[in-house]
Each structure stands twice: as structure tokens, then as C-alpha cells.
Amino acid sequence: MRKSTLTKLLCLAIVCLMVLPMIISCGSKVTISLDPGEGTLSEEQMILKVKKNGPIGALPTPKRPGYKFDGWYAEDDTDFEDKYRQSSIALFDITLVAKWEVDAENPPINIYFDAGDGELAEGVSDNLSLVVTQRVD
């Protein structure tokens, strides 16, 4: 065989090795688990199945009184540096966590109970967080 034929065959083999995994994974799906932290999502919204190597698409917005949702981040991104967006590519199964910012216009109010020398009743937490809302006419 001539050198140019070998070169062409080698290039074809390399291209096939690069493209074949993409073709095989076209039909597969990945799981995106959403952890709203102290916020809320419905059960159906917490697990998404999306096409592997495709965009993750629209992500739901969780709710948390007294806080503003500031995006979804990878579970191990503790510095909240890389926000996931609709255009982010789904490469593998992943858990995304919600980032929250205190709502300056309607912040939560934390109330702490001190039983002194006594004890709180069973099932009663010593920390209560609530948001007071006002009706504005």
C-alpha cells in the first residue's frame, strides 16, 4: 500500500473513533436531580431526564419565602461559580442545587426559643423562620 492510502485510512479510523461515541449516545438520556435546599419543588420537578449531549432545557424555579432564587449549580460547586442554564450541555447524571439570596424587600424573620432551665416540648424546634407579608392597597 502506498503511504497516502495508509494516511487516509488512519485519518478515517480516527474520525470514526471520535464520531462513534457521539452516535451511540444520541439516544441515551441522563438524569438531572434538582435539590432546592430549603426551597420547594414538586416531586415531578426534582428529577429530569434529558437527552445526553443535548441542552438541558428549561429548569424549574423553586420557591422559598424571604429569599430570591439565584440559579442552579453543580452539587460540588460550593463557591457557586458556574450557573447551569437552558443551553448547558447534559453530559452525565448530575445533581444541581439551588442558590438563594435573602430578599432585601421581604427578608425572613428568625425567632429563637429559649426554654431557660426547662425543655421544649417534644417536636418543637428552638428555631423558627418565617416571612411576614403585608397587604398593600
Side-chain angles (χ1 to χ4, degrees), residues 49-114:
K49 296 281 188 182
V50 298
K51 186 176 176 182
K52 187 173 185 174
N53 295 321
I56 59 175
L59 294 170
T61 302
K63 302 288 182 214
R64 182 178 176 194
Y67 292 83
K68 290 183 179 180
F69 174 67
D70 193 33
W72 292 107
Y73 294 80
E75 186 174 41
D76 59 357
D77 184 5
T78 56
D79 294 327
F80 297 106
E81 293 178 350
D82 297 315
K83 184 185 285 190
Y84 275 70
R85 295 170 167 54
Q86 289 185 11
S87 59
S88 298
I89 302 300
L91 299 173
F92 43 80
D93 294 347
I94 190 168
T95 296
L96 301 179
V97 296
K99 179 182 177 191
W100 299 100
E101 298 285 334
V102 173
D103 183 349
E105 295 175 9
N106 193 23
I109 298 170
N110 291 312
I111 300 172
Y112 299 94
F113 299 103
D114 182 356

Side-chain angles (χ1 to χ4, degrees), residues 17-72:
L17 288 174
M18 290 171 50
V19 172
L20 189 60
M22 287 189 271
I23 293 171
I24 291 172
S25 69
C26 279
S28 26
K29 300 228 179 218
V30 296
T31 300
I32 298 177
S33 302
L34 300 175
D35 178 358
E38 294 182 38
T40 57
L41 280 176
S42 68
E43 281 294 319
E44 305 86 50
Q45 293 176 309
M46 293 179 132
I47 304 287
L48 305 175
K49 296 281 188 182
V50 298
K51 186 176 176 182
K52 187 173 185 174
N53 295 321
I56 59 175
L59 294 170
T61 302
K63 302 288 182 214
R64 182 178 176 194
Y67 292 83
K68 290 183 179 180
F69 174 67
D70 193 33
W72 292 107

